[in-house]
PDB file of all heavy atoms in Angstrom:
ATOM      1  N   PHE I  61     -22.749 -14.339  37.067  1.00 47.00           N
ATOM      2  CA  PHE I  61     -21.738 -13.576  36.421  1.00 47.00           C
ATOM      3  C   PHE I  61     -20.380 -14.251  36.475  1.00 47.00           C
ATOM      4  O   PHE I  61     -19.556 -14.060  35.520  1.00 47.00           O
ATOM      5  CB  PHE I  61     -21.652 -12.192  37.090  1.00 47.00           C
ATOM      6  CG  PHE I  61     -22.668 -11.213  36.623  1.00 47.00           C
ATOM      7  CD1 PHE I  61     -23.824 -10.962  37.302  1.00 47.00           C
ATOM      8  CD2 PHE I  61     -22.492 -10.607  35.295  1.00 47.00           C
ATOM      9  CE1 PHE I  61     -24.757 -10.115  36.727  1.00 47.00           C
ATOM     10  CE2 PHE I  61     -23.452  -9.703  34.846  1.00 47.00           C
ATOM     11  CZ  PHE I  61     -24.587  -9.413  35.627  1.00 47.00           C
ATOM     12  N   LYS I 115     -16.660  -7.231  36.213  1.00 34.00           N
ATOM     13  CA  LYS I 115     -16.359  -5.839  36.601  1.00 34.00           C
ATOM     14  C   LYS I 115     -17.580  -5.109  37.126  1.00 34.00           C
ATOM     15  O   LYS I 115     -17.451  -4.302  38.011  1.00 34.00           O
ATOM     16  CB  LYS I 115     -15.702  -5.097  35.521  1.00 34.00           C
ATOM     17  CG  LYS I 115     -14.267  -5.638  35.123  1.00 34.00           C
ATOM     18  CD  LYS I 115     -13.658  -4.782  34.044  1.00 34.00           C
ATOM     19  CE  LYS I 115     -12.251  -5.261  33.670  1.00 34.00           C
ATOM     20  NZ  LYS I 115     -11.686  -4.453  32.592  1.00 34.00           N
ATOM     21  N   LEU I 148     -51.078 -24.543  36.624  1.00 92.00           N
ATOM     22  CA  LEU I 148     -52.415 -23.902  36.475  1.00 92.00           C
ATOM     23  C   LEU I 148     -53.168 -23.917  37.748  1.00 92.00           C
ATOM     24  O   LEU I 148     -53.845 -22.968  38.115  1.00 92.00           O
ATOM     25  CB  LEU I 148     -53.145 -24.594  35.364  1.00 92.00           C
ATOM     26  CG  LEU I 148     -52.607 -24.489  33.971  1.00 92.00           C
ATOM     27  CD1 LEU I 148     -53.438 -25.240  32.917  1.00 92.00           C
ATOM     28  CD2 LEU I 148     -52.545 -23.041  33.469  1.00 92.00           C
ATOM     29  N   LYS I 181     -43.540  -3.096  58.090  1.00 92.00           N
ATOM     30  CA  LYS I 181     -43.299  -1.880  57.425  1.00 92.00           C
ATOM     31  C   LYS I 181     -41.793  -1.496  57.500  1.00 92.00           C
ATOM     32  O   LYS I 181     -41.254  -0.979  56.563  1.00 92.00           O
ATOM     33  CB  LYS I 181     -44.217  -0.752  57.924  1.00 92.00           C
ATOM     34  CG  LYS I 181     -45.700  -0.983  57.669  1.00 92.00           C
ATOM     35  CD  LYS I 181     -46.460   0.189  58.171  1.00 92.00           C
ATOM     36  CE  LYS I 181     -47.977  -0.065  57.917  1.00 92.00           C
ATOM     37  NZ  LYS I 181     -48.282  -0.060  56.481  1.00 92.00           N
ATOM     38  N   SER I 190     -51.571 -10.734  52.185  1.00 93.00           N
ATOM     39  CA  SER I 190     -51.636 -10.191  50.880  1.00 93.00           C
ATOM     40  C   SER I 190     -51.241 -11.196  49.754  1.00 93.00           C
ATOM     41  O   SER I 190     -50.632 -12.174  50.036  1.00 93.00           O
ATOM     42  CB  SER I 190     -50.721  -8.882  50.771  1.00 93.00           C
ATOM     43  OG  SER I 190     -49.441  -9.270  50.866  1.00 93.00           O
ATOM     44  N   LEU I 245     -43.379  -3.857  44.916  1.00 97.00           N
ATOM     45  CA  LEU I 245     -44.246  -4.781  44.244  1.00 97.00           C
ATOM     46  C   LEU I 245     -45.658  -4.634  44.746  1.00 97.00           C
ATOM     47  O   LEU I 245     -46.665  -4.635  43.943  1.00 97.00           O
ATOM     48  CB  LEU I 245     -43.729  -6.231  44.373  1.00 97.00           C
ATOM     49  CG  LEU I 245     -44.595  -7.389  43.769  1.00 97.00           C
ATOM     50  CD1 LEU I 245     -44.751  -7.181  42.295  1.00 97.00           C
ATOM     51  CD2 LEU I 245     -43.960  -8.748  44.132  1.00 97.00           C
ATOM     52  N   GLN I 262     -65.275   6.329  37.168  1.00 90.00           N
ATOM     53  CA  GLN I 262     -65.393   7.366  36.058  1.00 90.00           C
ATOM     54  C   GLN I 262     -66.467   7.029  35.113  1.00 90.00           C
ATOM     55  O   GLN I 262     -67.182   7.958  34.626  1.00 90.00           O
ATOM     56  CB  GLN I 262     -64.021   7.449  35.378  1.00 90.00           C
ATOM     57  CG  GLN I 262     -62.971   8.167  36.156  1.00 90.00           C
ATOM     58  CD  GLN I 262     -61.531   7.908  35.603  1.00 90.00           C
ATOM     59  OE1 GLN I 262     -61.396   7.353  34.469  1.00 90.00           O
ATOM     60  NE2 GLN I 262     -60.485   8.267  36.359  1.00 90.00           N
ATOM     61  N   LYS I 281     -86.178  26.249  31.328  1.00 53.00           N
ATOM     62  CA  LYS I 281     -87.233  27.184  30.992  1.00 53.00           C
ATOM     63  C   LYS I 281     -88.195  27.341  32.234  1.00 53.00           C
ATOM     64  O   LYS I 281     -88.630  28.463  32.551  1.00 53.00           O
ATOM     65  CB  LYS I 281     -88.029  26.686  29.808  1.00 53.00           C
ATOM     66  CG  LYS I 281     -87.180  26.720  28.510  1.00 53.00           C
ATOM     67  CD  LYS I 281     -88.015  26.295  27.278  1.00 53.00           C
ATOM     68  CE  LYS I 281     -87.250  26.363  26.121  1.00 53.00           C
ATOM     69  NZ  LYS I 281     -87.944  25.920  24.883  1.00 53.00           N
ATOM     70  N   GLN I 333     -60.485  16.331  39.358  1.00 93.00           N
ATOM     71  CA  GLN I 333     -59.853  15.128  38.921  1.00 93.00           C
ATOM     72  C   GLN I 333     -58.998  14.530  40.012  1.00 93.00           C
ATOM     73  O   GLN I 333     -58.443  15.324  40.861  1.00 93.00           O
ATOM     74  CB  GLN I 333     -59.004  15.374  37.705  1.00 93.00           C
ATOM     75  CG  GLN I 333     -59.689  15.647  36.423  1.00 93.00           C
ATOM     76  CD  GLN I 333     -58.812  15.339  35.230  1.00 93.00           C
ATOM     77  OE1 GLN I 333     -58.190  14.332  35.128  1.00 93.00           O
ATOM     78  NE2 GLN I 333     -58.756  16.359  34.366  1.00 93.00           N
ATOM     79  N   LEU I 337     -51.417   8.224  40.884  1.00 93.00           N
ATOM     80  CA  LEU I 337     -51.081   7.258  41.938  1.00 93.00           C
ATOM     81  C   LEU I 337     -49.526   7.014  41.804  1.00 93.00           C
ATOM     82  O   LEU I 337     -49.062   6.448  40.856  1.00 93.00           O
ATOM     83  CB  LEU I 337     -51.822   5.955  41.616  1.00 93.00           C
ATOM     84  CG  LEU I 337     -53.401   6.006  41.698  1.00 93.00           C
ATOM     85  CD1 LEU I 337     -54.008   4.754  41.128  1.00 93.00           C
ATOM     86  CD2 LEU I 337     -53.784   6.237  43.152  1.00 93.00           C
ATOM     87  N   GLU I 340     -43.182   4.628  45.233  1.00 93.00           N
ATOM     88  CA  GLU I 340     -41.977   5.229  45.749  1.00 93.00           C
ATOM     89  C   GLU I 340     -40.968   5.527  44.639  1.00 93.00           C
ATOM     90  O   GLU I 340     -40.309   6.591  44.715  1.00 93.00           O
ATOM     91  CB  GLU I 340     -41.368   4.338  46.830  1.00 93.00           C
ATOM     92  CG  GLU I 340     -40.953   2.971  46.306  1.00 93.00           C
ATOM     93  CD  GLU I 340     -40.367   2.134  47.369  1.00 93.00           C
ATOM     94  OE1 GLU I 340     -40.843   2.229  48.509  1.00 93.00           O
ATOM     95  OE2 GLU I 340     -39.484   1.325  47.118  1.00 93.00           O
ATOM     96  N   GLY I 357     -44.420  21.433  35.607  1.00 60.00           N
ATOM     97  CA  GLY I 357     -45.468  21.166  34.602  1.00 60.00           C
ATOM     98  C   GLY I 357     -46.637  20.441  35.097  1.00 60.00           C
ATOM     99  O   GLY I 357     -47.754  20.794  34.884  1.00 60.00           O
ATOM    100  N   GLY I 376     -69.927  32.757  36.717  1.00 93.00           N
ATOM    101  CA  GLY I 376     -69.867  34.119  37.176  1.00 93.00           C
ATOM    102  C   GLY I 376     -68.820  34.323  38.255  1.00 93.00           C
ATOM    103  O   GLY I 376     -68.647  35.469  38.777  1.00 93.00           O
ATOM    104  N   PRO I 396     -66.412  43.492  56.853  1.00 60.00           N
ATOM    105  CA  PRO I 396     -67.455  43.939  55.921  1.00 60.00           C
ATOM    106  C   PRO I 396     -68.122  45.256  56.483  1.00 60.00           C
ATOM    107  O   PRO I 396     -68.212  45.460  57.653  1.00 60.00           O
ATOM    108  CB  PRO I 396     -68.490  42.796  56.046  1.00 60.00           C
ATOM    109  CG  PRO I 396     -68.255  42.173  57.349  1.00 60.00           C
ATOM    110  CD  PRO I 396     -66.793  42.333  57.676  1.00 60.00           C
ATOM    111  N   SER I 425     -58.187  29.567  31.204  1.00 94.00           N
ATOM    112  CA  SER I 425     -58.970  28.432  31.487  1.00 94.00           C
ATOM    113  C   SER I 425     -60.450  28.694  31.123  1.00 94.00           C
ATOM    114  O   SER I 425     -60.900  29.724  31.059  1.00 94.00           O
ATOM    115  CB  SER I 425     -58.930  28.151  33.048  1.00 94.00           C
ATOM    116  OG  SER I 425     -59.401  29.199  33.806  1.00 94.00           O
ATOM    117  N   ALA I 430     -64.723  18.402  35.583  1.00 93.00           N
ATOM    118  CA  ALA I 430     -63.636  17.399  35.595  1.00 93.00           C
ATOM    119  C   ALA I 430     -63.949  16.171  34.728  1.00 93.00           C
ATOM    120  O   ALA I 430     -63.032  15.699  34.134  1.00 93.00           O
ATOM    121  CB  ALA I 430     -63.369  16.979  37.004  1.00 93.00           C
ATOM    122  N   ILE I 431     -65.249  15.768  34.721  1.00 92.00           N
ATOM    123  CA  ILE I 431     -65.589  14.564  34.027  1.00 92.00           C
ATOM    124  C   ILE I 431     -65.418  14.747  32.522  1.00 92.00           C
ATOM    125  O   ILE I 431     -65.191  13.690  31.754  1.00 92.00           O
ATOM    126  CB  ILE I 431     -67.040  14.146  34.358  1.00 92.00           C
ATOM    127  CG1 ILE I 431     -67.272  12.667  33.974  1.00 92.00           C
ATOM    128  CG2 ILE I 431     -68.039  15.065  33.734  1.00 92.00           C
ATOM    129  CD1 ILE I 431     -66.507  11.675  34.788  1.00 92.00           C
ATOM    130  N   ASP I 438     -53.528   8.832  33.231  1.00 93.00           N
ATOM    131  CA  ASP I 438     -54.010   7.813  32.249  1.00 93.00           C
ATOM    132  C   ASP I 438     -53.878   6.423  33.044  1.00 93.00           C
ATOM    133  O   ASP I 438     -52.712   5.874  33.067  1.00 93.00           O
ATOM    134  CB  ASP I 438     -53.275   7.899  30.914  1.00 93.00           C
ATOM    135  CG  ASP I 438     -53.841   6.963  29.888  1.00 93.00           C
ATOM    136  OD1 ASP I 438     -54.333   5.884  30.297  1.00 93.00           O
ATOM    137  OD2 ASP I 438     -53.835   7.390  28.711  1.00 93.00           O
ATOM    138  N   GLU I 476     -46.872 -14.109  67.774  1.00 83.00           N
ATOM    139  CA  GLU I 476     -48.044 -14.434  68.476  1.00 83.00           C
ATOM    140  C   GLU I 476     -47.903 -15.669  69.414  1.00 83.00           C
ATOM    141  O   GLU I 476     -48.559 -15.780  70.424  1.00 83.00           O
ATOM    142  CB  GLU I 476     -49.159 -14.779  67.476  1.00 83.00           C
ATOM    143  CG  GLU I 476     -49.643 -13.535  66.711  1.00 83.00           C
ATOM    144  CD  GLU I 476     -50.743 -13.872  65.686  1.00 83.00           C
ATOM    145  OE1 GLU I 476     -50.978 -15.096  65.486  1.00 83.00           O
ATOM    146  OE2 GLU I 476     -51.392 -12.966  65.197  1.00 83.00           O
ATOM    147  N   THR I 517     -33.721 -20.200  63.417  1.00 90.00           N
ATOM    148  CA  THR I 517     -33.789 -20.255  64.915  1.00 90.00           C
ATOM    149  C   THR I 517     -35.156 -20.014  65.402  1.00 90.00           C
ATOM    150  O   THR I 517     -35.624 -20.695  66.319  1.00 90.00           O
ATOM    151  CB  THR I 517     -32.846 -19.113  65.455  1.00 90.00           C
ATOM    152  OG1 THR I 517     -31.486 -19.360  65.058  1.00 90.00           O
ATOM    153  CG2 THR I 517     -32.914 -19.058  66.951  1.00 90.00           C
ATOM    154  N   ARG I 562     -28.634 -27.325  60.472  1.00 40.00           N
ATOM    155  CA  ARG I 562     -29.561 -27.821  59.411  1.00 40.00           C
ATOM    156  C   ARG I 562     -29.569 -27.000  58.197  1.00 40.00           C
ATOM    157  O   ARG I 562     -30.529 -26.983  57.414  1.00 40.00           O
ATOM    158  CB  ARG I 562     -30.990 -28.014  59.999  1.00 40.00           C
ATOM    159  CG  ARG I 562     -31.144 -29.135  60.942  1.00 40.00           C
ATOM    160  CD  ARG I 562     -32.644 -29.508  61.082  1.00 40.00           C
ATOM    161  NE  ARG I 562     -33.362 -28.381  61.768  1.00 40.00           N
ATOM    162  CZ  ARG I 562     -33.464 -28.224  62.983  1.00 40.00           C
ATOM    163  NH1 ARG I 562     -32.924 -29.052  63.845  1.00 40.00           N
ATOM    164  NH2 ARG I 562     -34.127 -27.209  63.482  1.00 40.00           N
TER     165      ARG I 562
END
Side-chain angles (χ1 to χ4, degrees):
F61 278 100
K115 293 182 179 180
L148 294 177
K181 294 181 181 295
S190 68
L245 176 58
Q262 290 165 6
K281 293 182 180 180
Q333 290 201 51
L337 297 168
E340 61 183 35
S425 63
I431 197 68
D438 189 324
E476 293 182 347
T517 299
R562 288 196 295 272

